[in-house]
Amino acid sequence: MSQPESSKSTFAPALGDMNKEEFRRFGHELIDWIADYFDRIDQLPVLAAIEPGDLKAELPTSPPEQGESMEMIIADVDRLIVPALTHWSHPSFFAYFATSTSAPGIFGELLSAAFDNKAMLWRTSPASTELEEVTLDWLRQMMGLDPGMTGIIYDTASVSSMHAIAAAREGVEQRIREDGMSGRTDLPLLRVYVSEHAHSSIEKGIITLGLGQKGMRKIPTDSAFRMDARALAAAIDEDKRSGFIPFCIVATVGTTSTSSIDPIREIIPIGEEHAMWLHVDAAYAGSAAVVPELRHILDGCERADSLVVNPHKWLFTPFDCSVLYTRHMDLLGRAFSLVPEYLRTPEQEKVRSGSDYGIQLGRRFRALKLWMVMRYFGHEGLAARIREHCRLAKLFASWVEESPDWELLAPTPFALVCFRACPKREGESDELRGKRLDVLNEAIMHGVNGTGKALFSHTKLNDKLTLRLSIGNIRTTEAHVRQVWDLMNQQLQLLK
Ligand code: PLP
């Protein structure tokens, strides 16, 4: 990374920031670069084709003493960074939950970086504070959520859910904020109930809050991977008899492995009977409620205490942007508000300040990108894109169903298909068949992913290695879905 003579003019000045002309020039160049990146992304391998340590080996181990030219930095993005990227923006990215950014979202991020607001108090960022309130109320309306729900933005669903559980714990009135939990003999075990398919972030939140892994009880699921409400009621009764305090249920709309939907309407009365907080993890599938004919997936949530939805998952908003809705902002505030003298402001009683509702002081201006995405696509535009993803997933599922060599392993309520290859072999025992299919499906997945033309991931359902195809990228078309299906079938023919 030595500095060529010719690029001297683009080095940082002795003091101050890059000059205006160079900012303009490189700014335009980078936007062109991004436009070209999206144009050629189909030709790039979805999964980074590098070995662990390859990038580190290319990078200097100590920082540059003198500044380097922008040309060299941008050239190194091309030379070093792009080959080390797994391209989440690739239209054949079908792994985990496929997500995507969008042009208005990128512009929102760009502006937010320029404004660099720390939206901790209303006064440090009135625009961020008020735009967040308005945008989240728009999203609430789009999703058909109850008007009693107020939203707040965090970075991720993991953090949103942790805050929801903290607010629920505050509602237990056990002086935990004041006295803590350790060293207390007067505090029974507090418990949160989740299905065995709940996301691991809930358990992490519970650990972080000092409730301990014993503070979480996993409830079994039915044949469609939905929380068994009767088992939930029985577990709560049993724990109460043991002297525990059951205080929170976390139900999921759109579980990570299969996108199953817990039976919210059956869970609601159980929580209400025991005055427990119901948090709904709709991080992935909540966005689907903007599609009018899918709004029913949140049936019952009008009585939930909180709900998380991630616009960075399926609302074309660049990572990160997670929204927590709750009808108990007061409890969230009681759990987290702490205003030292240096943050006191004359208007504090009249306005909302984001830092009163979470662990962070400074907060990014994330509402801007979401507002720009919502305005640019509109409710109908967002719904049309999500509807199309669901159509493509159902189409893929129909190909699986029609083929004797493949089978579906879970329902497809949204845009995630769970399936596996299952070619028959005469006279094989169930046990041998199970083992053979696990090995075969894993090999198919690595075979297709190794081509660089598509990327998908797996889970385990009923002890079977299960392939997951998630459709959520704004650029994914039927041709991309057809291509990955063809690639899977080619691998199957090679391997079976
Ligand atoms: N909840 C569910 C249902 C998820 O599927 C995920 C991630 O895929 C999460 C929570 C965690 O999301 P985040 O990365 O925003 O913390």
Side-chain angles (χ1 to χ4, degrees):
M1 287 202 185
S2 62
Q3 299 165 2
E5 280 302 302
S6 58
S7 59
K8 275 267 182 321
S9 63
T10 60
F11 285 74
L15 290 174
D17 199 5
M18 184 183 286
N19 73 43
K20 180 172 80 182
E21 288 70 30
E22 282 169 11
F23 181 77
R24 228 181 264 289
R25 188 180 128 215
F26 288 110
H28 287 148
E29 214 171 273
L30 274 177
I31 293 290
D32 282 345
W33 189 98
I34 295 170
D36 292 342
Y37 170 68
F38 287 143
D39 220 31
R40 70 190 167 99
I41 197 166
D42 250 335
Q43 273 87 60
L44 297 171
V46 192
L47 183 66
I50 66 163
E51 294 300 320
D54 280 0
L55 175 61
K56 280 204 284 192
E58 293 282 337
L59 296 169
T61 50
S62 47
E65 220 38 71
Q66 265 94 46
E68 299 179 71
S69 76
M70 273 312 289
E71 284 94 338
M72 286 175 62
I73 298 167
I74 294 172
D76 279 348
V77 169
D78 267 316
R79 188 175 69 88
L80 299 173
I81 305 301
V82 174
L85 284 174
T86 289
H87 296 280
W88 282 74
S89 292
H90 197 295
S92 291
F93 186 108
F94 300 110
Y96 313 108
F97 278 125
T99 60
S100 79
T101 185
S102 63
I106 292 170
F107 292 145
E109 279 287 22
L110 191 63
L111 287 172
S112 160
F115 300 147
D116 196 28
N117 270 211
K118 282 78 185 174
M120 54 219 204
L121 306 171
W122 177 87
R123 122 170 346 213
T124 62
S125 185
S128 173
T129 308
E130 295 192 11
L131 191 69
E132 180 166 325
E133 286 183 57
V134 171
T135 306
L136 298 191
D137 197 59
W138 286 4
L139 180 61
R140 180 195 63 72
Q141 293 172 46
M142 278 194 189
M143 293 170 63
L145 286 174
D146 190 76
M149 288 281 203
T150 305
I152 178 152
I153 300 183
Y154 299 107
D155 52 0
T156 57
S158 308
V159 169
S160 293
S161 290
M162 187 205 73
H163 281 82
I165 298 166
R169 186 179 63 177
E170 190 60 26
V172 171
E173 309 290 357
Q174 291 283 338
R175 291 189 52 85
I176 290 172
R177 177 184 164 119
E178 297 80 6
D179 301 340
M181 298 179 74
S182 66
R184 284 179 65 173
T185 49
D186 62 326
L187 190 65
L189 187 75
L190 296 168
R191 265 218 160 137
V192 181
Y193 300 77
V194 300
S195 100
E196 58 195 1
H197 278 273
H199 191 264
S200 56
S201 58
I202 306 300
E203 188 167 347
K204 273 200 189 180
I206 286 168
I207 296 168
T208 307
L209 291 169
L211 293 157
Q213 283 173 302
K214 265 170 88 179
M216 187 183 95
R217 183 157 176 182
K218 283 193 183 177
I219 306 298
T221 52
D222 63 16
S223 59
F225 311 103
R226 302 152 15 111
M227 188 191 283
D228 177 341
R230 281 216 275 184
L232 170 70
I236 294 170
D237 285 343
E238 184 184 69
D239 283 356
K240 276 201 146 171
R241 283 196 301 276
S242 304
F244 302 161
I245 302 183
F247 76 101
C248 180
I249 302 167
V250 180
T252 311
V253 172
T255 56
T256 312
S257 275
T258 72
S259 76
S260 60
I261 306 170
D262 286 338
I264 305 287
R265 282 217 179 281
E266 291 170 43
I267 292 170
I268 287 273
I270 300 169
E272 286 179 352
E273 184 190 336
H274 299 283
M276 293 168 72
W277 182 292
L278 175 63
H279 173 59
V280 177
D281 179 355
Y284 161 64
S287 301
V290 309
V291 183
E293 65 272 22
L294 288 177
R295 201 173 250 197
H296 63 87
I297 59 160
L298 296 183
D299 276 358
C301 290
E302 64 282 354
R303 280 158 70 191
D305 296 282
S306 57
L307 177 145
V308 58
V309 57
N310 276 2
H312 72 226
K313 275 196 165 46
W314 208 5
L315 274 183
F316 316 110
T317 304
F319 193 78
D320 49 19
C321 183
S322 175
V323 179
L324 178 70
Y325 284 103
T326 177
R327 54 181 78 257
H328 308 290
M329 285 300 275
D330 54 330
L331 282 176
L332 199 54
R334 251 174 57 188
F336 289 102
S337 180
L338 196 64
V339 185
E341 180 58 30
Y342 45 83
L343 295 177
R344 205 166 52 75
T345 63
E347 68 276 1
Q348 67 187 23
E349 299 305 324
K350 292 196 297 238
V351 294
R352 170 164 139 177
S353 288
S355 57
D356 281 340
Y357 301 99
I359 189 70
Q360 278 184 265
L361 177 65
R363 305 171 69 248
R364 300 205 317 116
F365 190 175
R366 296 188 184 89
L368 186 61
K369 58 186 172 183
L370 180 58
W371 179 67
M372 291 175 73
V373 166
M374 288 169 76
R375 288 192 64 183
Y376 180 71
F377 294 113
H379 187 173
E380 284 182 11
L382 292 169
R385 283 160 180 79
I386 293 172
R387 188 183 289 121
E388 173 64 0
H389 291 160
C390 294
R391 183 190 76 80
L392 292 174
K394 291 206 165 50
L395 181 68
F396 184 90
S398 73
W399 298 336
V400 171
E401 257 184 323
E402 285 158 17
S403 166
D405 279 344
W406 298 86
E407 65 179 347
L408 290 176
L409 293 179
T412 307
F414 301 106
L416 171 71
V417 190
C418 293
F419 63 104
R420 70 170 178 176
C422 57
K424 295 202 173 35
R425 207 173 261 181
E426 289 306 317
E428 193 179 31
S429 70
D430 282 353
E431 197 191 334
L432 278 182
R433 176 176 149 80
K435 282 193 183 135
R436 173 176 63 87
L437 294 185
D438 278 2
V439 172
L440 173 69
N441 280 282
E442 189 149 8
I444 291 173
M445 177 171 72
H446 292 314
V448 173
N449 292 347
T451 67
K453 291 186 177 148
L455 184 73
F456 58 96
S457 57
H458 77 285
T459 187
K460 227 173 200 172
L461 297 178
N462 298 325
D463 236 19
K464 296 174 184 158
L465 191 124
T466 304
L467 305 179
R468 290 170 76 265
L469 189 93
S470 164
I471 299 171
N473 190 286
I474 202 162
R475 284 175 206 84
T476 302
T477 64
E478 194 170 319
H480 296 105
V481 179
R482 171 58 75 181
Q483 184 196 38
V484 70
W485 176 237
D486 291 344
L487 287 166
M488 287 172 184
N489 278 289
Q490 283 162 21
Q491 286 295 321
L492 174 62
Q493 294 316 317
L494 282 175
L495 295 163
K496 83 172 176 183

